[in-house]
Amino acid sequence: MSDTTESRTTISYQGEPGANSHIICAQAYPDWTPLPCASFEEAFAAVNDGRAALAMIPIENSIAGRVADIHHLIPSSNLHIVAEHFLPIHFQLMALPGTPIEAIRTVHSHVHALGQCRKIIRRLGLKAIVAGDTAGAAREVAEAGDPSRGALAPAMAAGVYGLDILARDVEDESHNTTRFVVFSPEAVEVPAASGPTVTSFIFRVRNIPAALYKALGGFATNGVNMSKLESYMVEGQFSATQFYAEVDGHPEDPGLARALDELAYFSRELRIIGTYPAHPFRETTRLAAE
């Protein structure tokens, strides 16, 4: 295991330089060294083997929903969630320097980005080409040297790969936001009553009738808000379901403590993944919805 001074201020992320995950790393940890990784598994592994101290991982998007595969990787990572961050997502149409927008014939990007920028693709009559990720699409356009190719990517990618931005903020929905969580080898002790907190945990209910209903009843009776509940199969078995959940509050709060005790009684497995400060973006969203 590597443990150097540099690795203690390195944060891993999935994607290429200029990706949205790179942007949020730079915003949230401006003095840290970002470490690009080819996959989520590699980003987690970089923390486990000491090449990075933290991993910045997207977990859900306000339009696309949950990020595929993440919930399967969380239990086996043996890491803890210590923070959350929200990033408004903006896409720029970019191409080789000096290229007029009328010359673009194809546009390359991640499948979600293409789906979130349908209006400009349709208006310009472009052929959409799926790429591995947004920043990677920008790099590929730069390397190809073909003025008929464009990319939909974050503004940072244009600077990284020397492309011109032909149209800014071309996403269809202005509320497009991705939520990221930060993973660490060690849990961070957040004092109770220190402010709004979020607790994330995984559980598997016992194989008895109405187990899930009974397991979750304690959150309702104790007035605990459950903001997320995701289910997914374990090891490809239709009969084995694991749940990832997030609730408002701290495990030492009396109501949440009682709810977790009740959940544990009806579960064959319960593991808290992290308790961390709620990001101020949550309150902004709540007020906007009222």
Side-chain angles (χ1 to χ4, degrees):
M1 175 179 289
S2 170
D3 186 12
T4 65
T5 301
E6 183 179 357
S7 68
R8 295 187 198 119
T9 56
T10 295
I11 182 167
S12 64
Y13 68 91
Q14 185 276 328
E16 302 196 28
N20 283 312
S21 294
H22 185 187
I23 293 172
I24 194 65
C25 285
Q27 290 182 2
Y29 298 88
D31 297 327
W32 286 46
T33 300
L35 176 64
C37 298
S39 65
F40 292 123
E41 291 94 333
E42 184 180 332
F44 281 122
V47 177
N48 276 317
D49 65 24
R51 288 180 290 132
L54 301 173
M56 179 74 74
I57 304 293
I59 195 168
E60 59 187 330
N61 176 266
S62 60
I63 295 176
R66 74 180 185 183
V67 176
D69 298 332
I70 293 304
H71 297 80
H72 293 279
L73 297 173
I74 289 175
S76 61
S77 73
N78 295 316
L79 300 178
H80 303 268
I81 300 176
V82 296
E84 66 174 357
H85 298 279
F86 292 80
L87 178 70
I89 302 300
H90 299 292
F91 295 110
Q92 326 300 325
L93 177 62
M94 56 190 69
L96 294 174
T99 301
I101 196 168
E102 297 80 13
I104 303 299
R105 296 290 179 267
T106 61
V107 62
H108 304 246
S109 197
H110 187 274
V111 62
H112 286 166
L114 295 172
Q116 293 165 21
C117 300
R118 290 190 178 96
K119 292 179 181 178
I120 191 169
I121 293 174
R122 185 168 54 248
R123 177 166 59 84
L124 296 178
L126 303 176
K127 180 180 180 181
I129 307 295
V130 175
D133 65 27
T134 54
R139 175 184 55 76
E140 290 168 2
V141 166
E143 292 175 350
D146 183 351
S148 71
R149 295 188 184 186
L152 288 167
M156 179 186 281
V160 171
Y161 301 109
L163 300 178
D164 283 353
I165 294 178
L166 308 184
R168 293 184 176 274
D169 298 348
V170 298
E171 62 277 359
D172 297 339
E173 304 291 343
S174 60
H175 63 76
N176 190 355
T177 303
T178 295
R179 175 174 172 248
F180 294 80
V181 289
V182 180
F183 286 88
S184 168
E186 305 293 336
V188 173
E189 295 295 330
V190 179
S194 60
T197 55
V198 178
T199 296
S200 298
F201 54 91
I202 56 173
F203 67 96
R204 294 170 67 179
V205 295
R206 292 159 56 191
N207 189 23
I208 59 175
L212 181 60
Y213 173 80
K214 295 174 182 177
L216 297 182
F219 295 94
T221 56
N222 286 285
V224 177
N225 179 47
M226 179 170 285
S227 57
K228 176 178 290 296
L229 178 63
E230 302 275 7
S231 65
Y232 51 100
M233 291 187 297
V234 179
E235 298 175 350
Q237 300 180 27
F238 287 98
S239 60
T241 302
Q242 190 158 264
F243 296 88
Y244 172 85
E246 296 178 353
V247 296
D248 294 347
H250 193 286
E252 294 181 12
D253 296 342
L256 181 52
R258 289 192 294 267
L260 289 173
D261 283 344
E262 194 163 336
L263 173 62
Y265 179 79
F266 290 103
S267 298
R268 54 184 293 192
E269 176 187 359
L270 170 61
R271 179 151 54 100
I272 293 179
I273 301 298
T275 297
Y276 45 96
H279 193 278
F281 183 86
R282 287 177 178 267
E283 181 66 12
T284 301
T285 304
R286 185 188 68 79
L287 293 174
E290 292 181 348

